[in-house]
Amino acid sequence: MKAVILGTTGYTGMLLLRLLADHPDVDEIIPVSSSKYGNPAASVDPGIGKSIQSKTGLVNGKLVTLEEAVALKPDVVFAGLPHLESAKICEPFFGKSVVIDLSADFRIKDHELFARAYGQNPPRPDLLPQSVYGLCEIYPEDIKRADIIANPGCYPTCTLLPIIPLAKNGLLKGKIIANALSGISGSGRKAKLQSLFCERTENTCAYLPGQTHRHFTEILSQISNFDSSLDLFFTPHLVPLKRGMEVTTVIELAKPVTEAEIGKIYEDFYGDKPFVNLVPGTLPESKNVWGSNRCDIGWQVQGSTILLFSVIDNLVKGASGQAVQNMNIRFGFKETAGLSLYGEL
Amino acid sequence: MKAVILGTTGYTGMLLLRLLADHPDVDEIIPVSSSKYGNPAASVDPGIGKSIQSKTGLVNGKLVTLEEAVALKPDVVFAGLPHLESAKICEPFFGKSVVIDLSADFRIKDHELFARAYGQNPPRPDLLPQSVYGLCEIYPEDIKRADIIANPGCYPTCTLLPIIPLAKNGLLKGKIIANALSGISGSGRKAKLQSLFCERTENTCAYLPGQTHRHFTEILSQISNFDSSLDLFFTPHLVPLKRGMEVTTVIELAKPVTEAEIGKIYEDFYGDKPFVNLVPGTLPESKNVWGSNRCDIGWQVQGSTILLFSVIDNLVKGASGQAVQNMNIRFGFKETAGLSLYGEL
Amino acid sequence: MKAVILGTTGYTGMLLLRLLADHPDVDEIIPVSSSKYGNPAASVDPGIGKSIQSKTGLVNGKLVTLEEAVALKPDVVFAGLPHLESAKICEPFFGKSVVIDLSADFRIKDHELFARAYGQNPPRPDLLPQSVYGLCEIYPEDIKRADIIANPGCYPTCTLLPIIPLAKNGLLKGKIIANALSGISGSGRKAKLQSLFCERTENTCAYLPGQTHRHFTEILSQISNFDSSLDLFFTPHLVPLKRGMEVTTVIELAKPVTEAEIGKIYEDFYGDKPFVNLVPGTLPESKNVWGSNRCDIGWQVQGSTILLFSVIDNLVKGASGQAVQNMNIRFGFKETAGLSLYGEL
Amino acid sequence: MKAVILGTTGYTGMLLLRLLADHPDVDEIIPVSSSKYGNPAASVDPGIGKSIQSKTGLVNGKLVTLEEAVALKPDVVFAGLPHLESAKICEPFFGKSVVIDLSADFRIKDHELFARAYGQNPPRPDLLPQSVYGLCEIYPEDIKRADIIANPGCYPTCTLLPIIPLAKNGLLKGKIIANALSGISGSGRKAKLQSLFCERTENTCAYLPGQTHRHFTEILSQISNFDSSLDLFFTPHLVPLKRGMEVTTVIELAKPVTEAEIGKIYEDFYGDKPFVNLVPGTLPESKNVWGSNRCDIGWQVQGSTILLFSVIDNLVKGASGQAVQNMNIRFGFKETAGLSLYGEL
């Protein structure tokens, strides 16, 4: 099993390096970087230390170019690349390797919706029909057969997991109000003024609220698959965490239902899913899933209103971890292989 | 002008020490502590250093007992004490000094509502009629004449300031969905496991959501003064800030209105208020008001929905700063005296 | 292989739960808590989720009492208990199980030195001769044969690893000046005012400087094993990290030596040690080892002075991780089993 | 009194805006920015809000160009500009305005020492003789007469204040070992990868250790003014604070002296200095001076060794605050005007 990482020097790429270093079914890791190729992985990312040495025999522990990676004929490619560039850069792998794309390029099938969110048409409309939205707990059967997997965004993952079972059961109505809090790593590893320590510590703010964030489109288009009558206002906020995400969602119930009945629905839906952790009677905290691939879900019914609470690690279940989970499902590995079930302290 | 501080060793008391040390109209500060009396203020609170020396002549820089403070016949008393105890401890000052109570004991006039939130009747129902809710920008005329001022809670201050002008103008309808993010100092200076550095850093969560937090009652009872048809779901969240608060509120508009028209309403309402800072076209960030007594307000209209964004420093405009502002209004000082108009970097 | 954890609800105990949950050679985890026994581990520590379920068959996922743990006849006992209590509480296990004690009770063999640091004699002087100081890279042969292993303190681990190879080679002289920076988890999980988020964020200070911290005694007594002519001034500082430690040490060289020669000495000493990561030419950063069991070591020679730089995760290599490493060595498991070689992002 | 700020959009410039907005003796603030001129100060720096409106009549609240600032003939110029550029950009003000230069361009009189630290000769060697090193507590008489004041670096300020009285009294000998911890704002407001939130939170490291940091040269050249026999090893560290600095210094005593005698020497030296706060018997914490212009100093004598501990806010006493203090001394204002004596909570 040979795995290529595109965009190794970003946070999602760096985390993929770590997850694959520990993965029992991955034999070779081929890290690609357009800017740092030729350098030892451990000099570009000192945290990795010697841990991937035994898995980089082919490339001798060094970052390589895209061309070198193509020549090595990998089984799977993880693309941690910018939106609108990713599908193009992955071109040489389509049809040969399974591509797990962490960008948005294959996440929205509707061309018009995609264009509204990303300002242009999907880069590879021809491949959209054969791609799958890789929300692992929702579409596992499709994922098993897909060669292009669109790894979901962090906000969509955390927002959708508690909503979908209820929407599918017709329990919701009207306008979903979701508020999300995200750690700063969600902004990536670009040197931007707004991402400086001194700009983000002791600071919090909303941004791209309501129906203006790109992930709004991704979330609503997924909800519509289960109940097209629902509308959404989704407001993300930056909070001074490195990693972590919390979403609080308030929705009108379509009919009376108890907290216990909600619990039953979730249990039926997620009871056999290793990475969904229901916390009835309490509210989830993001530190409990820090470093893990878990999504913890809590809920409260107050009169005709239901409140949903979900937490993930935005870099793990919200990005690189779910990408590995997608690989596990696609290749028939144990679903939890290489992924943590517990949150770091 | 002699000012007593009750509860000097909590965060609100420590901040009052600082604000009064710099206040041009306060001559004597009399800091009270039931646990630390007899100690020099600077040994209990090393941050204060020598800064209040010149203002504590009578008590010689030391913390004193309640009895000593009563004997000094202060003009104003700031009570930074626990709910349900505050009104009792302030007993000797009623009728003699202006009491600015930072607890909830006088915030809710309706006995039943108070009991629902605090588990018992208001401690001094007899004094409720003569007390005033000290939301400075809303009730300045009442504050000028009051001898008991109920300093508002931090969440209510930040949530109400953007809502009230719109509710008063009949622009809102239905269920207000407010989500608040608060710095940890809002939890006070008690040694609790949940407030430890290692429990709160790299962590975020919702708590007491919807209609279960005590401040829900305070907020809704104030909104009802302006439009009793509105309902509220208010969910607070802890985020790893020392100081700061952000509230994002989503509401249905009762009639079509543009962002510019909203701006005009706010301008009419708050144009002459030094501590309300409208930020049309942008979203406020909590660091911009860190250390100041400001509330920055932003808004967006999206279809028939309005989104409101407000930030304060929870310890300043949300507690001790607004208490000083109340003193300024009550005693006819300059409203900004001793208070900062800019956020610390 | 059955492993007992004493003090499961402290940070070292909580981390041991996680490390053992992932450990390939541990079949049963028996978590003990004197205050929380009877509760499911996942309710006391929600971060652990379902991850240890498969390893807690005997105790059914619940915390148990000391008596229950004794009855289960564990192979190994990890004691994350307070100094001076630990040796007493472990009494029923001595002679039956291998005890890895994370407290100081067996760290200092000299009774007088121990008493100077801890205010009383060692609690079990009779067992001191058969106990071993579990600094894994230095005393592996002794550890293989020991039934009582004194797991080193976090400061000693990070300070000693770069010093010992040089002291052993007679390269150092005079007074070692070591300054250490520690994350707040080193202060434990007690609800103390000084450990509150608002007291530690945006704050740093030295404490117990020079020759006054208990770990000073532990460090100097170990250095003396290799060069008894050396003296030490060791000053710890608190910095607002959850986890992490950095030590900067300045020492006079006993004879001229180049950086390359120092590198050679370290390479000879640590080249085959998986958890020591030499970083010649750069300075180590604590985030590079966050979550791993690594110690990264850097050095500079400036004239006749050598500067040493070392980083660890205070909870992993500085506590629970080294405890697991000690178990691995003692029981002949792979030294890296269950331990991470890379730092979390 | 008209004050120009050069480099308004950096952290030191932004803080100068705030300090001068509150300063009782400054009537006009003229903020200069080479990149943002023409924009309202409040749009470039939303934290400033309306607070400087009343002081920017001439420039109407907007940032202006250097040329415009020159034409307005300011009394004082604060230059928050890069080293080696500052002296050149200030050219039009020399001989006309008092220039307080926050860069290093005038800090080191010895050309060779300057060149060793900054890689080239001092940019204006002709003006060096008439410039003064603006360490306010040490050189107040010189400052009163100077028209070019070299505002000291943050590390030198914090390191020198506890050392100079002892060096001057001949109490020290040998090699001073100083270790400094600095908040991240010391790295400035440039968008650099190393200054990102996710790179600095949960991270700490030493950098440019021993005799390699530029401030090493500045510190040692100042110490030499009082005792040229002393040597220095100075190692700075980054810790995840926005603002704050702590220095721990270990030195051999030249003769036996008690802690009380040290206290007496400090009291004689600093007793009348408002911004030096001696804390005998305790160790200073950086939060106690956060936002203030104070330097808190503690000390311990252990045998023949003295340990010194000092804390400042690196942006206030370490930069903009000391610059204002220099203005106050130079123009005969009250030394504490516009500066805080207490640390923010």
Side-chain angles (χ1 to χ4, degrees):
Chain A
M1 185 75 185
K2 281 187 268 184
V4 157
I5 301 171
L6 303 179
T8 309
T9 62
Y11 289 129
T12 54
M14 291 165 76
L15 184 52
L16 280 163
L17 264 188
R18 286 153 171 77
L19 296 173
L20 298 178
D22 275 356
H23 198 289
D25 301 304
V26 172
D27 308 300
E28 291 283 339
I29 302 170
I30 302 156
V32 173
S33 169
S34 60
S35 59
K36 302 280 188 184
Y37 63 87
N39 291 290
S43 80
V44 172
D45 177 1
I48 201 72
K50 320 168 184 174
S51 60
I52 58 161
Q53 258 171 6
S54 63
K55 293 204 171 177
T56 56
L58 286 176
V59 299
N60 201 20
K62 293 194 176 169
L63 304 185
V64 299
T65 63
L66 181 64
E67 291 67 35
E68 293 174 282
V70 171
L72 289 166
K73 301 189 179 177
D75 302 284
V76 64
V77 174
F78 294 95
L81 298 168
H83 306 308
L84 306 174
E85 294 179 31
S86 185
K88 289 170 196 163
I89 295 171
C90 289
E91 172 60 31
F93 298 108
F94 291 131
K96 294 169 191 154
S97 311
V98 172
V99 174
I100 300 175
D101 184 0
L102 285 82
S103 87
D105 287 0
F106 294 98
R107 288 184 194 155
I108 300 172
K109 305 261 180 183
D110 184 296
H111 297 202
E112 200 185 323
L113 279 181
F114 185 94
R116 213 179 295 160
Y118 291 91
Q120 59 177 78
N121 282 331
R124 288 298 300 267
D126 56 313
L127 295 175
L128 275 177
Q130 68 192 81
S131 72
V132 161
Y133 189 71
L135 190 55
C136 300
E137 284 74 16
I138 307 300
Y139 304 112
E141 294 309 315
D142 297 324
I143 292 164
K144 280 178 195 164
R145 291 184 300 265
D147 286 343
I148 302 177
I149 299 170
N151 209 58
C154 49
Y155 288 128
T157 296
C158 196
T159 307
L160 289 167
L161 285 175
I163 289 176
I164 285 175
L166 308 186
K168 197 176 173 186
N169 280 278
L171 289 174
L172 309 178
K173 73 174 179 193
K175 202 157 64 178
I176 296 169
I177 309 291
N179 272 265
L181 317 183
S182 173
I184 309 301
S185 57
S187 306
R189 204 162 171 250
K190 287 261 169 60
K192 294 184 291 190
L193 177 63
Q194 291 83 351
S195 299
L196 294 183
F197 182 88
C198 295
E199 303 291 318
R200 296 263 59 93
T201 192
E202 286 296 300
N203 192 16
T204 187
C205 64
Y207 70 104
L208 295 171
Q211 305 196 323
T212 60
H213 192 283
R214 289 161 166 189
H215 284 178
F216 157 76
T217 307
E218 183 177 337
I219 299 167
L220 187 54
S221 78
Q222 282 297 320
I223 291 174
S224 300
N225 289 349
F226 298 92
D227 183 344
S228 63
S229 76
L230 296 166
D231 198 7
L232 173 70
F233 277 72
F234 168 80
T235 301
H237 299 72
L238 290 176
V239 295
L241 308 167
K242 180 150 69 168
R243 292 162 59 167
M245 176 168 288
E246 197 270 352
V247 178
T248 294
T249 306
V250 182
I251 329 177
E252 201 66 11
L253 285 165
K255 55 185 171 192
V257 60
T258 65
E259 279 180 16
E261 287 163 343
I262 298 290
K264 179 72 169 51
I265 288 166
Y266 280 141
E267 197 57 54
D268 289 348
F269 212 91
Y270 291 131
D272 63 340
K273 302 293 183 187
F275 294 118
V276 174
N277 187 39
L278 305 174
V279 296
T282 70
L283 300 187
E285 304 200 26
S286 68
K287 78 171 161 55
N288 292 336
V289 300
W290 202 108
S292 88
N293 197 51
R294 257 165 49 195
C295 178
D296 281 12
I297 297 178
W299 61 95
Q300 285 196 12
V301 174
Q302 298 186 6
S304 64
T305 301
I306 186 163
L307 297 101
L308 306 176
F309 309 91
S310 46
V311 294
I312 61 170
D313 182 320
N314 60 303
L315 285 186
V316 188
K317 183 62 178 171
S320 307
Q322 185 151 252
V324 170
Q325 189 184 357
N326 270 309
M327 174 186 74
N328 290 346
I329 294 172
R330 171 61 181 74
F331 287 87
F333 305 146
K334 195 179 171 196
E335 189 167 346
T336 56
L339 296 168
S340 177
L341 279 160
Y342 57 78
E344 281 287 342
L345 286 185
Chain B
M1 184 77 186
K2 281 188 269 184
V4 157
I5 301 171
L6 304 179
T8 308
T9 62
Y11 289 129
T12 54
M14 290 166 77
L15 184 53
L16 280 164
L17 263 189
R18 286 153 172 77
L19 296 173
L20 299 178
D22 274 356
H23 199 289
D25 301 304
V26 172
D27 307 301
E28 292 282 336
I29 303 170
I30 302 157
V32 173
S33 168
S34 60
S35 58
K36 302 281 187 182
Y37 64 86
N39 291 291
S43 81
V44 172
D45 176 2
I48 201 71
K50 321 169 184 173
S51 61
I52 58 159
Q53 257 171 5
S54 63
K55 292 203 169 177
T56 55
L58 287 176
V59 299
N60 202 21
K62 294 195 176 166
L63 303 185
V64 298
T65 63
L66 182 63
E67 292 66 35
E68 293 173 283
V70 171
L72 289 167
K73 301 189 178 177
D75 301 285
V76 64
V77 173
F78 294 94
L81 298 168
H83 306 308
L84 305 174
E85 296 179 30
S86 186
K88 289 170 196 163
I89 295 171
C90 289
E91 172 61 31
F93 298 109
F94 291 132
K96 294 170 191 152
S97 310
V98 172
V99 174
I100 300 175
D101 184 0
L102 285 82
S103 87
D105 286 359
F106 294 100
R107 287 184 195 156
I108 299 171
K109 305 262 180 183
D110 185 297
H111 296 202
E112 199 185 323
L113 280 181
F114 185 93
R116 211 178 299 161
Y118 291 91
Q120 60 177 80
N121 283 332
R124 288 298 300 267
D126 56 313
L127 295 175
L128 275 176
Q130 68 191 79
S131 72
V132 161
Y133 189 71
L135 190 54
C136 300
E137 283 73 16
I138 307 300
Y139 303 112
E141 294 309 314
D142 297 324
I143 293 165
K144 280 179 196 164
R145 289 184 301 266
D147 286 343
I148 302 177
I149 299 170
N151 210 58
C154 49
Y155 288 128
T157 296
C158 196
T159 306
L160 289 166
L161 285 175
I163 289 176
I164 285 175
L166 309 186
K168 196 177 175 187
N169 279 277
L171 289 174
L172 308 178
K173 73 173 180 194
K175 200 157 65 178
I176 296 170
I177 310 292
N179 272 265
L181 318 182
S182 174
I184 309 303
S185 58
S187 306
R189 204 161 171 251
K190 288 261 169 61
K192 295 183 292 191
L193 176 64
Q194 292 83 350
S195 299
L196 293 183
F197 182 87
C198 294
E199 302 292 318
R200 296 264 60 92
T201 193
E202 285 295 301
N203 191 16
T204 187
C205 64
Y207 70 103
L208 294 171
Q211 305 196 322
T212 59
H213 191 282
R214 289 162 166 188
H215 284 178
F216 157 76
T217 308
E218 183 178 336
I219 299 168
L220 187 55
S221 78
Q222 282 296 319
I223 291 174
S224 301
N225 289 349
F226 299 93
D227 183 343
S228 62
S229 75
L230 296 166
D231 198 7
L232 172 71
F233 278 71
F234 168 80
T235 301
H237 299 71
L238 289 177
V239 294
L241 307 167
K242 179 150 70 168
R243 291 160 61 165
M245 176 168 287
E246 197 270 352
V247 179
T248 293
T249 306
V250 182
I251 329 176
E252 202 67 9
L253 285 165
K255 55 185 171 190
V257 60
T258 66
E259 280 180 15
E261 287 164 342
I262 298 291
K264 179 73 170 48
I265 287 165
Y266 281 141
E267 196 58 52
D268 289 349
F269 212 90
Y270 291 132
D272 63 339
K273 301 294 183 187
F275 294 117
V276 173
N277 186 39
L278 304 173
V279 296
T282 69
L283 299 187
E285 304 200 25
S286 70
K287 79 171 161 56
N288 292 336
V289 301
W290 202 107
S292 87
N293 197 51
R294 258 164 49 194
C295 178
D296 282 12
I297 297 178
W299 61 95
Q300 285 195 14
V301 173
Q302 297 187 8
S304 63
T305 301
I306 187 163
L307 297 102
L308 307 176
F309 309 92
S310 46
V311 294
I312 61 170
D313 182 320
N314 60 304
L315 286 187
V316 188
K317 184 62 178 170
S320 307
Q322 185 152 251
V324 169
Q325 189 184 357
N326 271 309
M327 175 185 74
N328 290 345
I329 293 172
R330 170 61 181 74
F331 287 88
F333 305 145
K334 196 179 170 195
E335 188 166 347
T336 55
L339 296 167
S340 177
L341 279 159
Y342 57 79
E344 281 288 342
L345 284 185
Chain C
M1 183 78 185
K2 280 187 268 183
V4 157
I5 302 171
L6 304 179
T8 308
T9 62
Y11 289 129
T12 54
M14 291 166 77
L15 184 52
L16 280 164
L17 263 189
R18 286 153 173 76
L19 296 173
L20 298 178
D22 274 355
H23 199 289
D25 301 304
V26 172
D27 307 301
E28 292 283 338
I29 303 170
I30 303 157
V32 173
S33 169
S34 60
S35 59
K36 303 279 187 184
Y37 63 85
N39 291 290
S43 81
V44 172
D45 176 0
I48 201 71
K50 320 168 184 173
S51 60
I52 57 160
Q53 258 170 6
S54 63
K55 292 204 170 176
T56 55
L58 287 176
V59 299
N60 201 21
K62 295 195 175 168
L63 304 185
V64 299
T65 63
L66 182 64
E67 291 67 33
E68 293 174 283
V70 171
L72 290 167
K73 301 189 179 177
D75 302 285
V76 66
V77 173
F78 294 94
L81 297 168
H83 306 308
L84 306 174
E85 295 179 31
S86 186
K88 289 171 196 163
I89 295 171
C90 289
E91 171 60 30
F93 299 108
F94 291 132
K96 295 169 190 155
S97 311
V98 172
V99 174
I100 300 175
D101 184 359
L102 285 81
S103 87
D105 287 359
F106 294 99
R107 289 184 194 155
I108 300 172
K109 305 261 180 185
D110 184 297
H111 296 203
E112 199 185 323
L113 279 181
F114 184 92
R116 211 179 297 160
Y118 292 90
Q120 59 178 80
N121 282 331
R124 289 297 301 269
D126 56 314
L127 296 175
L128 275 177
Q130 68 192 80
S131 72
V132 161
Y133 188 71
L135 190 54
C136 299
E137 284 74 16
I138 307 300
Y139 303 112
E141 294 309 315
D142 297 324
I143 293 165
K144 279 178 196 164
R145 290 184 300 266
D147 286 342
I148 302 177
I149 300 170
N151 209 57
C154 49
Y155 288 129
T157 296
C158 197
T159 306
L160 289 167
L161 286 174
I163 289 176
I164 286 175
L166 309 186
K168 195 175 175 188
N169 279 278
L171 289 173
L172 309 178
K173 72 172 179 193
K175 199 157 66 179
I176 296 170
I177 310 291
N179 273 264
L181 317 183
S182 173
I184 309 302
S185 57
S187 306
R189 203 162 171 249
K190 286 262 169 60
K192 294 184 292 189
L193 177 64
Q194 291 83 349
S195 298
L196 293 182
F197 182 88
C198 294
E199 302 292 318
R200 295 264 59 92
T201 192
E202 286 295 300
N203 192 17
T204 188
C205 64
Y207 70 104
L208 294 171
Q211 305 195 322
T212 60
H213 192 283
R214 288 161 166 190
H215 284 178
F216 157 77
T217 307
E218 183 177 336
I219 299 168
L220 187 54
S221 77
Q222 282 296 321
I223 292 174
S224 300
N225 289 349
F226 299 92
D227 183 343
S228 62
S229 76
L230 295 166
D231 197 6
L232 172 70
F233 278 71
F234 168 79
T235 302
H237 299 72
L238 289 176
V239 295
L241 307 168
K242 179 151 68 168
R243 292 161 59 167
M245 176 168 287
E246 197 270 353
V247 178
T248 293
T249 305
V250 182
I251 329 177
E252 202 67 10
L253 285 164
K255 54 184 171 192
V257 60
T258 66
E259 280 180 15
E261 287 164 343
I262 297 291
K264 180 71 170 51
I265 288 165
Y266 281 141
E267 197 58 52
D268 289 348
F269 212 90
Y270 291 130
D272 63 341
K273 301 294 183 187
F275 293 118
V276 174
N277 187 39
L278 304 173
V279 296
T282 70
L283 300 187
E285 305 201 24
S286 70
K287 79 171 161 57
N288 292 337
V289 300
W290 202 108
S292 88
N293 197 50
R294 257 165 49 195
C295 177
D296 281 12
I297 297 178
W299 61 94
Q300 285 195 13
V301 173
Q302 298 185 8
S304 63
T305 301
I306 187 163
L307 297 102
L308 307 176
F309 309 91
S310 46
V311 295
I312 62 169
D313 182 320
N314 60 302
L315 286 186
V316 188
K317 184 62 178 168
S320 307
Q322 186 153 249
V324 170
Q325 189 184 358
N326 271 308
M327 174 185 75
N328 290 345
I329 294 172
R330 171 60 181 75
F331 287 87
F333 305 144
K334 195 180 171 196
E335 187 166 347
T336 56
L339 295 168
S340 178
L341 278 160
Y342 57 77
E344 280 288 343
L345 285 187
Chain D
M1 184 77 186
K2 280 187 269 184
V4 157
I5 301 170
L6 303 179
T8 309
T9 61
Y11 290 129
T12 54
M14 291 166 78
L15 183 52
L16 280 163
L17 263 188
R18 286 154 172 76
L19 296 174
L20 298 178
D22 275 355
H23 198 289
D25 301 304
V26 172
D27 308 301
E28 292 281 339
I29 303 170
I30 302 158
V32 173
S33 169
S34 60
S35 59
K36 301 281 188 183
Y37 63 86
N39 290 292
S43 81
V44 172
D45 176 0
I48 200 72
K50 319 169 184 172
S51 61
I52 59 161
Q53 258 171 6
S54 63
K55 291 203 170 179
T56 55
L58 285 175
V59 300
N60 202 21
K62 295 194 175 168
L63 304 185
V64 299
T65 62
L66 182 64
E67 291 67 35
E68 293 174 284
V70 171
L72 289 168
K73 301 187 177 176
D75 302 285
V76 64
V77 173
F78 294 94
L81 298 168
H83 306 308
L84 306 175
E85 295 179 31
S86 185
K88 289 170 195 163
I89 294 170
C90 289
E91 171 61 31
F93 298 109
F94 291 132
K96 295 170 190 152
S97 311
V98 172
V99 173
I100 300 174
D101 184 0
L102 284 82
S103 87
D105 287 359
F106 294 99
R107 288 183 194 157
I108 300 171
K109 304 262 180 183
D110 184 297
H111 296 203
E112 199 184 323
L113 279 182
F114 185 94
R116 212 179 297 160
Y118 291 91
Q120 59 178 78
N121 282 331
R124 289 298 301 269
D126 56 312
L127 295 175
L128 275 176
Q130 68 192 80
S131 72
V132 161
Y133 189 70
L135 190 54
C136 300
E137 284 73 16
I138 307 300
Y139 303 113
E141 294 309 314
D142 298 324
I143 293 165
K144 280 178 194 164
R145 290 184 301 266
D147 286 343
I148 302 177
I149 299 169
N151 209 58
C154 49
Y155 288 128
T157 296
C158 196
T159 307
L160 289 167
L161 285 175
I163 289 176
I164 285 175
L166 309 185
K168 197 176 174 187
N169 280 278
L171 290 172
L172 310 177
K173 73 174 179 194
K175 202 158 64 178
I176 296 169
I177 310 292
N179 272 265
L181 316 183
S182 173
I184 309 301
S185 58
S187 306
R189 203 162 170 249
K190 286 263 168 61
K192 294 184 292 190
L193 177 63
Q194 292 83 349
S195 299
L196 293 183
F197 182 87
C198 294
E199 302 291 319
R200 297 264 60 92
T201 193
E202 285 297 300
N203 191 17
T204 188
C205 64
Y207 69 105
L208 295 171
Q211 305 195 322
T212 61
H213 192 283
R214 288 162 165 187
H215 285 178
F216 157 76
T217 308
E218 183 178 336
I219 299 168
L220 187 55
S221 78
Q222 283 296 320
I223 292 174
S224 300
N225 289 349
F226 298 93
D227 183 343
S228 62
S229 76
L230 296 166
D231 198 6
L232 172 71
F233 278 73
F234 168 80
T235 301
H237 299 71
L238 289 176
V239 294
L241 308 168
K242 180 148 71 168
R243 293 161 60 167
M245 176 168 287
E246 197 269 353
V247 178
T248 293
T249 305
V250 182
I251 328 176
E252 202 66 10
L253 285 165
K255 55 185 170 191
V257 60
T258 66
E259 280 179 17
E261 287 163 343
I262 298 289
K264 179 71 170 51
I265 287 166
Y266 280 142
E267 196 58 53
D268 289 348
F269 212 89
Y270 290 131
D272 63 339
K273 302 294 182 186
F275 294 117
V276 174
N277 187 39
L278 304 173
V279 296
T282 69
L283 300 188
E285 304 201 25
S286 70
K287 79 171 160 58
N288 292 336
V289 301
W290 203 107
S292 89
N293 197 50
R294 257 162 51 194
C295 178
D296 282 12
I297 297 177
W299 61 96
Q300 285 195 14
V301 173
Q302 297 186 7
S304 63
T305 301
I306 186 162
L307 297 102
L308 307 176
F309 309 91
S310 47
V311 294
I312 61 170
D313 182 319
N314 60 303
L315 286 186
V316 187
K317 184 62 179 171
S320 307
Q322 185 151 252
V324 169
Q325 188 184 359
N326 271 309
M327 175 186 75
N328 290 345
I329 294 172
R330 171 60 181 76
F331 287 88
F333 305 145
K334 195 179 171 195
E335 189 166 346
T336 55
L339 296 168
S340 178
L341 279 159
Y342 58 77
E344 281 288 342
L345 285 185

